[in-house]
Amino acid sequence: MARVPRGVVDARGRQAVVHDHEGALMALDLENGALLWRHGPSLRPCALLAGAVVALRISPSPTLVVVVLDAATGEDRWASEPVDLPSWARCTLDDTRDFTLRTEATDDAVVLRWVVRTWYRGGAAPSARVLAESRRAAHGALRVGLAGSPSLEVLPAAEAGAEAWAEAGAEADALPETADADVPPPVPPAASTDGQSAVLDQSLVGDKRMELLLRPDPGAVVLRAVDPRTGVLAWEVELDRATPRRAPRLRP
């Protein structure tokens, strides 16, 4: 399934749904970057198909709620009953060492495969027993049906298909790759025009390179579309902006 940084894109490559740092969703027209609607917070977009946006509400963790929105308007269509993960799980808006999510889609259904992990977080070198006890991993899968009224099925462990992730998470520190298998590999980022901005993530969607860019001044995170051959900017949208903290006034 195609993706954009912090979100998902439809099969035609015309619309994307991304999230900001609080999990508020933003639907964007990929032709010109126009904002179509907003919805949130605490949502992680997982799929955009069949006229619907499938997202996970991950607050409060470790409980997951599947939410289905109308792709055209962002209006709520359906929400599942809560799905409890292990009490030690820490779910996140993006893939981390704590929480990894993969999506598989058909014409009328989405399978969400998740892995949660823990490891030793202390400072001093642990004993072998402490290290072994601190490493935990669990995995599962949810099938979201979109034909007719939305439905949710928790797949049996034998069908979850995430054993390899769980084992890798318990034995290694590296994250799984963020891109899905059918997404072209990211191309080298273009040189920043201001010499300071950093490309945090990127993907190819049609004839555009989608870049998630951090600008230290003024502390903004933007999503922008660039011609991968020439580096010419097509459009950009600000997703986050750091709020400066002011010192409190002291009484005279």
Side-chain angles (χ1 to χ4, degrees):
M1 175 175 291
R3 71 175 191 101
V4 293
R6 285 200 184 178
V8 293
V9 61
D10 67 4
R12 300 179 299 173
R14 297 182 180 179
Q15 181 180 342
V17 176
V18 299
H19 70 81
D20 68 8
H21 70 287
E22 294 182 341
L25 300 187
M26 302 169 60
L28 303 174
D29 185 328
L30 289 180
E31 181 62 30
N32 53 26
L35 177 64
L36 304 176
W37 49 261
R38 280 181 172 270
H39 192 290
S42 300
L43 293 174
R44 173 170 175 162
C46 301
L48 177 54
L49 76 160
V53 179
V54 178
L56 284 179
R57 179 171 291 124
I58 62 172
S59 180
S61 179
T63 298
L64 298 179
V65 175
V66 178
V67 176
V68 177
L69 310 177
D70 186 284
T73 65
E75 296 179 354
D76 289 296
R77 286 176 48 183
W78 178 81
S80 74
E81 293 296 320
V83 177
D84 292 329
L85 273 59
S87 60
W88 46 263
R90 300 174 60 186
C91 303
T92 53
L93 289 173
D94 296 292
D95 284 351
T96 64
R97 292 174 65 190
D98 299 289
F99 181 67
T100 304
L101 185 72
R102 290 294 178 269
T103 302
E104 299 172 8
T106 62
D107 291 339
D108 57 4
V110 176
V111 176
L112 308 176
R113 304 188 187 277
W114 56 265
V115 174
V116 290
R117 316 173 186 87
T118 62
W119 63 93
Y120 181 71
R121 298 174 185 269
S127 65
R129 181 183 62 83
V130 170
L131 185 62
E133 291 177 350
S134 66
R135 289 185 172 181
R136 294 173 289 189
H139 66 273
L142 310 173
R143 184 185 185 277
V144 185
L146 298 174
S149 299
S151 61
L152 178 67
E153 177 186 3
V154 179
L155 297 181
E159 300 180 33
E163 292 87 348
W165 299 348
E167 293 173 2
E171 300 297 334
D173 293 336
L175 276 173
E177 294 181 4
T178 56
D180 295 287
D182 57 350
V183 176
V187 296
S192 172
T193 55
D194 57 16
Q196 295 180 331
S197 300
V199 176
L200 306 176
D201 188 14
Q202 58 185 341
S203 64
L204 292 175
V205 178
D207 60 353
K208 294 183 176 68
R209 181 173 69 232
M210 309 301 300
E211 297 179 344
L212 187 68
L213 194 72
L214 170 64
R215 293 202 173 102
D217 185 15
V221 175
V222 301
L223 180 68
R224 68 180 187 179
V226 178
D227 186 317
R229 298 164 299 175
T230 65
V232 173
L233 177 67
W235 54 263
E236 69 177 34
V237 174
E238 184 176 298
L239 302 185
D240 300 316
R241 179 179 289 267
T243 302
R245 295 183 179 181
R246 297 181 179 178
R249 291 187 176 183
L250 300 178
R251 290 187 176 183

